[in-house]
Amino acid sequence: MTTTTSQVNAVLRTPPASPAAAAAYFSASLAFHADVSDVASVLAASAADGTDPGFVVIDSRSTASWDQGHVPGAVHLPTALIPEQAERLLDRSVPVVTYCWGPGCNGATRAALALAELGFQVKEMLGGFEYWVREGFAYETWEGPAEKAADPLTAPVDSDDCGC
C-alpha cells in the first residue's frame, strides 16, 4: 500500500485576495506610506529649485537618536511630545511624513497615529532613518553633515532610479 502525502503550498495556503480587494488594499497602503527614495527625491528637487516640497518630515526619535543622525530639514518631535508640541511646531494644512529608526521600529507608526488623532494629514516613511542612510542619502549629525555609500542590497549603485 502506498501513501501519498500532499504538500501544502505555503504561499497559496491562504488564497490571494480578489483583484478588486487587492487594488483597494494597495491603494490604501500608498495613502499611508511613502518610501525613503521618494521623500529624498522630492526634498532634493525642492532644495534645488527653491520650492516647497508640500510636506514636512518629522523625526519622532529621542534627542540622542536625533543627534546621532537625522534627515536634513526634518523637524525633531519625539512621539511623547506630540500632544503638547505639534500644534506649535506644525501647520495643520501641511501633510506630515514621520520616521523613526527603521523597519524594526514602530515609533513612526505611533507618531503618525498621534498626529492623525490631532487632525493632521500624515504618512509614514517606510524604512526610517536606517534606510535613509543605507540608500546613500546625506544626513546630519550633531557634528555636522554625513553621508555613506549606498548599500547595493537597498539601492541601485549606478543609478538614481531603481525602476520601481
Side-chain angles (χ1 to χ4, degrees), residues 101-141:
W101 274 112
C105 175
N106 66 3
T109 306
R110 287 192 307 272
L113 173 60
L115 288 162
E117 288 175 336
L118 291 173
F120 290 89
Q121 293 180 342
V122 63
K123 287 189 171 200
E124 178 182 5
M125 185 174 78
L126 297 176
F129 184 68
E130 175 188 350
Y131 275 73
W132 185 273
V133 174
R134 289 184 73 187
E135 291 190 24
F137 300 116
Y139 58 98
E140 297 174 348
T141 73

Side-chain angles (χ1 to χ4, degrees), residues 40-68:
S41 68
V42 171
L43 291 177
S46 295
D49 61 19
T51 60
D52 184 337
F55 59 87
V56 63
V57 178
I58 299 295
D59 184 315
S60 64
R61 301 171 302 147
S62 69
T63 299
S65 299
W66 167 267
D67 288 346
Q68 188 174 326

